[in-house]
């Protein structure tokens, strides 16, 4: 199967005597992260679904940030897979054993040394965080061919204020404008300006396109939500972006205080004391 997969990103990390390879790949079924551990005479691999990368980063952060405290074993459920996180110790020091169990492949395990002051686990966490962040910036290969068509469809729903956007009739302009009028955004008149920044965020089955553009009356941020064939657009003057930022920050703080983010969510389970001895 992997022979036909597309490689999107590759990273390498050395922790003590071990070398770890992180390969972000894509096939028709979606994206996944292959993490391989290589020592002098062996190689072990686990396969992490894309939506599990952030969970892995959170769990490695838990183990790296609790030095000197009792650490517990964890189970992470991702679709039909279960990943087991167990801390052990031997003459070389502490290590984290990560095992993958699923019905589609035999159980596989990688072992990550803690390093000095858990810097091995911290480095592992940082690589996972970098990959998770990069995922939102990489357009899926199977969608690249249709990207231009999709962008044109999005532009058809948008106002004609940025270069390359297709001009549309006044009725469409008014529906996108949402009653803001010329005074706020200058949506009528067909002026052209410059798109200065663009970003794409994937969230489950949705994609959000952020386009920072400008016209003769100032700058604006266009946010387009795409779910399958459904699309909706909002346009924000830059004068309100700081207010939006503050409002979103408040909701982030609320969800954190309610335990709705991080490894406290229900698909991570603490199962036992993790202080045990084993070989790595």
């Amino acid at each position: 199967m992997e022979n036909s997969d597309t490689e999107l990103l590759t990273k390498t990390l050395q922790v003590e005597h071990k070398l770890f390879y992180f390969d972000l790949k894509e096939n028709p079924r979606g994206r996944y992260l292959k993490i391989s551990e290589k020592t002098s005479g062996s190689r072990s691999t686990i396969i992490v679904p894309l939506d599990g990368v952030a969970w892995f980063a959170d769990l490695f952060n838990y183990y790296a940030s609790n030095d000197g405290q009792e650490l517990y074993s964890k189970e992470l459920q991702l679709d039909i897979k279960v990943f087991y996180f167990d801390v052990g110790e031997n003459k070389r020091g502490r290590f984290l054993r990560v095992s993958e169990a699923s019905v589609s492949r035999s159980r596989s395990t990688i072992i990550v040394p803690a390093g000095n002051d858990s810097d091995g686990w911290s480095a592992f966490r940082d690589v996972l965080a970098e990959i998770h962040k990069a995922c939102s910036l990489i357009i899926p290969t199977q969608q690249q061919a249709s990207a231009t068509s999709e962008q044109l469809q999005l532009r058809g729903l948008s106002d004609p204020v940025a270069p390359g956007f297709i001009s549309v009739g006044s009725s469409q302009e008014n529906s996108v404008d949402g009653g803001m009028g010329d005074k706020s955004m200058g949506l009528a008149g067909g002026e052209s300006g410059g798109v200065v920044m663009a970003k794409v965020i994937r969230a489950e089955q949705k994609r959000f396109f952020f386009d920072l553009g400008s016209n003769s009356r100032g700058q604006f941020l266009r946010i387009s939500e795409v779910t399958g064939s459904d699309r909706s657009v909002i346009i924000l003057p830059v004068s309100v972006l700081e207010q939006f930022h503050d409002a979103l920050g408040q909701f982030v703080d609320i969800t954190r205080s309610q335990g709705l983010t991080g490894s406290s969510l229900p698909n991570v389970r603490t199962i036992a004391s993790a202080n045990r001895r084993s070989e790595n």
Side-chain angles (χ1 to χ4, degrees), residues 1-274:
M1 179 186 68
E2 288 192 20
N3 291 335
S4 61
D5 292 356
T6 301
E7 190 170 279
L8 303 176
L9 179 66
T10 298
K11 287 185 174 293
T12 305
L13 173 67
Q14 183 165 359
V15 181
E16 295 183 351
H17 61 290
K18 296 189 176 186
L19 195 61
F20 294 91
Y21 297 92
F22 301 78
D23 299 299
L24 181 65
K25 296 193 174 187
E26 180 183 48
N27 60 28
R29 297 173 60 185
R31 293 178 180 176
Y32 63 91
L33 178 63
K34 184 174 76 169
I35 306 176
S36 300
E37 168 200 341
K38 184 178 181 182
T39 57
S40 58
S42 63
R43 187 182 184 108
S44 300
T45 299
I46 61 173
I47 305 295
V48 184
L50 181 62
D51 59 358
V53 175
W55 289 105
F56 264 64
D58 283 347
L59 285 167
F60 268 89
N61 185 63
Y62 162 74
Y63 290 108
S65 303
N66 287 272
D67 190 33
Q69 302 180 25
E70 184 177 10
L71 297 173
Y72 294 91
S73 296
K74 301 283 186 177
E75 284 184 5
L76 173 62
Q77 176 81 47
L78 295 172
D79 298 326
I80 62 172
K81 294 186 176 185
V82 180
F83 294 89
Y84 301 92
F85 294 74
D86 298 288
V87 171
E89 186 173 0
N90 62 15
K91 61 183 180 180
R92 291 177 177 170
R94 294 194 305 168
F95 59 87
L96 181 64
R97 179 190 295 106
V98 184
S99 301
E100 171 197 346
S102 69
V103 297
S104 59
R105 65 194 300 258
S106 58
R107 186 157 178 156
S108 182
T109 300
I110 63 170
I111 296 176
V112 185
N116 296 325
D117 298 323
S118 300
D119 57 357
W121 293 345
S122 298
F124 212 93
R125 172 203 60 198
D126 293 343
V127 172
L128 290 167
E130 290 177 12
I131 293 173
H132 175 63
K133 183 177 180 180
C135 287
S136 64
L137 305 177
I138 302 175
I139 299 176
T141 304
Q142 63 263 36
Q143 295 176 3
Q144 289 179 358
S146 60
T148 302
S149 174
E150 181 178 77
Q151 290 169 0
L152 290 175
Q153 293 178 49
L154 282 172
R155 292 167 183 172
L157 293 173
S158 306
D159 60 278
V161 294
F165 279 79
I166 298 175
S167 298
V168 293
S170 59
S171 62
Q172 287 179 299
E173 290 171 10
N174 292 335
S175 65
V176 173
D177 185 2
M180 293 176 64
D182 293 352
K183 184 177 295 185
S184 298
M185 286 296 296
L187 295 182
E191 303 104 338
S192 63
V195 174
V196 297
M197 181 178 179
K199 183 177 180 63
V200 181
I201 293 177
R202 296 179 61 87
E204 298 178 351
Q205 302 301 316
K206 294 184 178 183
R207 279 169 294 160
F208 296 90
F209 295 81
F210 295 77
D211 298 291
L212 185 62
S214 64
N215 60 17
S216 60
R217 299 184 182 183
Q219 289 186 310
F220 59 89
L221 178 67
R222 176 187 291 105
I223 305 175
S224 306
E225 174 189 346
V226 181
T227 308
S229 60
D230 297 327
R231 295 166 174 81
S232 58
V233 178
I234 64 171
I235 297 174
L236 307 175
V238 294
S239 59
V240 304
L241 292 187
E242 187 172 347
Q243 298 175 48
F244 265 72
H245 178 273
D246 292 342
L248 288 172
Q250 292 177 8
F251 285 104
V252 171
D253 291 340
I254 290 172
T255 55
R256 283 176 177 170
S257 66
Q258 294 178 345
L260 300 179
T261 60
S263 59
S264 59
L265 288 176
N267 57 333
V268 174
R269 185 165 70 96
T270 300
I271 57 175
S273 175

